[in-house]
Amino acid sequence: MNVLILGSGGREHAFAWKVSQSSLCKKLLVAPGNAGTNELGTNVEIGVNDFESIKKLALEEDIDMLIVGPEDPLVNGIFDFFNGDESLKHITVIGPSKQGAKLEGSKEFAKEFMQRHDIPTAKYQAFTKDNLEEGYAFLESLNAPYVLKADGLAAGKGVLILENLEEAKKQLKAMVADAKFGKASSTVVVEEFLSGIELSVFVLTDGTSYKILPSAKDYKRIGEGDTGLNTGGMGAISPVPFADRFFIEKVETEIIKPTIHGLKEEGIVYHGFIFIGLIVSGNDVKVIEYNVRMGDPETEVVIPRIKSDLLHLFQGIGDGTFSEKDLHIDEDTAATVMLVSGGYPEKYEKRKVIAGLDDVEGSIVFHAGTKQEEDAVLTNGGRVLAVTSFGENIEDALNKSFVNAEKINFEGKYYRKDIGFDLR
Ligand code: AMP
Ligand code: GLY
């Protein structure tokens, strides 16, 4: 099978690492990829939203399967673009249809979907500039802190959590009336704040049957003890110890089944991953968000724990045999530690030479923001490398990642030394 992966982060390197191990994989291309994916396949300098160039590449290279990493092309309808084109429709696309991608592309759509299917989530209302006064009244009816979410994609920055009512009203106005996040915030979901522990559950589905992948917890803040600015994710752990069989059964009954059933009932085509962000408080589990792709850096711990051939599973999604396939999971714990550029998530420099990659032992290094230039591997983003290790427990897995994190060097390197602190 000839496979094309779209994206350039640690998630896509982890996909490429797994797919390249499959006996079904004949040719692997990654667009645009990074220095890590370049070692496993061929990188092609095409943007993930350049559908015409992706089409041309898919035809030239006789691609059989397209695996879509990030949300943007999914929300922009890449599934429908392939499915609706005579010359491309034989290609299996791993990712939801445009309508399915609205679960991430529109917070209001996701909330309405959950309401229609009785899926537990925070109480909410949606507002635009035309009913701003009602928005103020709704905020007054809630207790602090206040949660404001831009309806559309805002590069992970569209959620504001505010302690003060007046500030919340000011920000609501800035979002809906003054386009604080552009068009993405012309509608804003205001919702009840949920306190508890966050974790994520991942599902792979063909729209009818589904398989529950390992759970994971990521660490989003830049600083130790979960302090400072939000990032794309500084590390992750899988499995999450408290997410035992009983917990997952509860999530399956209350959330996963109604989600898959809801998609099917509404005629929404969905061939891909559903990332369900959860908040757990006592015996209560609620959905805080759906994403229509895998998480990053969660993929860097979830995918290595999958023992089954991922391409074989994906193939089942394409040919209607997905429900017959088995999914085997490694029982060991996986941990990943993200090495980032100095200054990230604010201003940082790129093009720093990365040394020590060959000295790593006992961990898998997934490249996130790197670039190969002649013989050198250079930093090319805020999040640079994810160092993943296995262990009998969290401590054990993390220690291996930390030892190897020390062996890798680039100017400004920073990483959190307390990943998993709340689970240990
Ligand atoms: P989202 O983009 O929906 O994932 O939101 C970003 C982050 O905001 C989440 O990972 C949570 O930490 C937090 N968050 C979102 N919604 C809520 C909520 N209703 N209550 C508490 N925290 C929330
Ligand atoms: N790590 C969170 C995300 O991928 O959205």
Side-chain angles (χ1 to χ4, degrees):
M1 206 185 303
N2 296 334
V3 180
L4 170 59
I5 298 175
L6 287 188
S8 61
R11 169 181 50 212
E12 288 75 19
H13 187 191
F15 281 145
W17 173 83
K18 185 71 182 160
V19 163
S20 65
Q21 291 167 27
S22 170
S23 57
L24 295 169
C25 181
K26 246 182 24 210
K27 182 159 69 178
L28 177 63
L29 289 106
V30 188
N34 59 38
T37 62
N38 198 39
E39 302 240 309
L40 302 169
T42 308
N43 285 352
V44 187
E45 200 50 48
I46 292 178
V48 296
N49 290 306
D50 182 356
F51 292 2
E52 286 302 332
S53 300
I54 295 167
K55 170 178 174 175
K56 196 161 157 274
L57 178 70
L59 294 175
E60 277 168 9
E61 298 287 343
D62 198 17
I63 293 298
D64 303 294
M65 182 177 292
L66 177 72
I67 303 169
V68 186
E71 63 276 18
D72 262 50
L74 293 167
V75 171
N76 291 338
I78 194 153
F79 180 96
D80 307 65
F81 177 84
F82 268 64
N83 225 32
D85 186 309
E86 276 310 313
S87 62
L88 298 174
K89 66 197 277 191
H90 66 283
I91 298 174
T92 298
V93 179
I94 301 300
S97 65
K98 187 169 187 171
Q99 189 66 10
K102 281 173 83 174
L103 284 181
E104 178 166 0
S106 165
K107 301 269 188 204
E108 187 181 20
F109 176 86
K111 296 297 279 191
E112 288 172 349
F113 178 87
M114 287 187 261
Q115 221 164 31
R116 281 196 294 278
H117 301 287
D118 281 330
I119 296 164
T121 187
K123 191 171 79 176
Y124 84 102
Q125 280 185 32
F127 302 98
T128 64
K129 66 177 182 349
D130 300 325
N131 60 354
L132 189 52
E133 289 299 325
E134 289 168 39
Y136 294 155
F138 184 62
L139 280 168
E140 283 165 12
S141 78
L142 298 172
N143 296 319
Y146 304 93
V147 183
L148 309 182
K149 298 183 170 185
D151 179 60
L153 294 184
K157 297 190 166 46
V159 177
L160 301 183
I161 297 183
L162 305 156
E163 290 296 332
N164 176 288
L165 178 63
E166 289 315 308
E167 182 61 20
K169 288 182 179 174
K170 215 172 96 190
Q171 290 297 336
L172 177 61
K173 177 172 179 295
M175 288 168 90
V176 296
D178 310 326
K180 182 177 173 109
F181 298 107
K183 245 178 58 193
S185 68
S186 56
T187 296
V188 168
V189 165
V190 177
E191 69 177 31
E192 165 199 19
F193 180 83
L194 302 173
S195 51
I197 306 182
E198 280 187 67
L199 83 158
S200 302
V201 168
F202 303 91
V203 175
L204 181 61
T205 183
D206 62 358
T208 302
S209 67
Y210 60 86
K211 302 196 193 294
I212 303 175
L213 307 179
S215 61
K217 185 173 194 308
D218 80 335
Y219 293 81
K220 289 202 178 76
R221 302 294 193 91
I222 188 73
E224 291 179 2
D226 284 345
T227 54
L229 293 173
N230 253 325
T231 70
M234 297 295 293
I237 303 283
S238 176
V240 183
F242 67 82
D244 57 14
R245 189 162 59 82
F246 302 104
F247 176 85
I248 297 293
E249 272 171 18
K250 182 178 165 72
V251 172
E252 181 171 19
T253 308
E254 294 177 10
I255 295 162
I256 298 173
K257 280 190 176 153
T259 300
I260 303 292
H261 186 257
L263 289 169
K264 197 168 166 68
E265 192 179 87
E266 296 189 22
I268 297 174
V269 177
Y270 206 111
H271 293 178
F273 295 99
I274 312 178
F275 162 154
I276 309 175
L278 301 170
I279 283 199
V280 187
S281 167
N283 209 23
D284 243 25
V285 188
K286 290 193 172 137
V287 177
I288 41 170
E289 62 167 344
Y290 286 114
N291 293 311
V292 298
R293 49 167 174 91
M294 281 298 291
D296 195 346
E298 291 92 331
T299 309
E300 290 93 301
V301 287
V302 170
I303 292 293
R305 290 191 59 222
I306 298 178
K307 290 202 278 194
S308 312
D309 182 336
L310 189 64
L311 211 45
H312 187 63
L313 287 163
F314 287 166
Q315 193 181 36
I317 291 181
D319 67 15
T321 59
F322 181 63
S323 64
E324 299 159 24
K325 314 266 185 208
D326 290 327
L327 172 69
H328 297 288
I329 303 296
D330 192 327
E331 295 297 324
D332 278 356
T333 294
T336 199
V337 174
M338 195 59 88
L339 311 189
V340 305
S341 298
Y344 173 78
E346 295 183 285
K347 211 166 131 6
Y348 58 86
E349 289 177 17
K350 295 186 187 178
R351 301 186 56 77
K352 304 294 180 192
V353 175
I354 303 173
L357 286 170
D358 292 337
D359 301 329
V360 170
E361 278 175 85
S363 296
I364 314 164
V365 179
F366 293 118
H367 290 227
T370 68
K371 191 179 178 160
Q372 183 86 39
E373 232 174 69
E374 288 164 20
D375 285 340
V377 178
L378 306 180
T379 67
N380 192 39
R383 295 192 295 168
V384 179
L385 299 162
V387 183
T388 296
S389 313
F390 277 97
E392 276 179 27
N393 52 43
I394 295 177
E395 203 83 42
D396 193 24
L398 277 170
N399 283 340
K400 290 180 195 162
S401 286
F402 290 142
V403 166
N404 284 315
E406 274 310 299
K407 292 184 187 165
I408 301 169
N409 281 305
F410 54 86
E411 193 187 312
K413 176 188 80 174
Y414 167 76
Y415 62 95
R416 268 181 67 170
K417 297 182 181 64
D418 71 335
I419 298 303
F421 73 95
D422 52 344
L423 301 177
R424 286 196 254 169

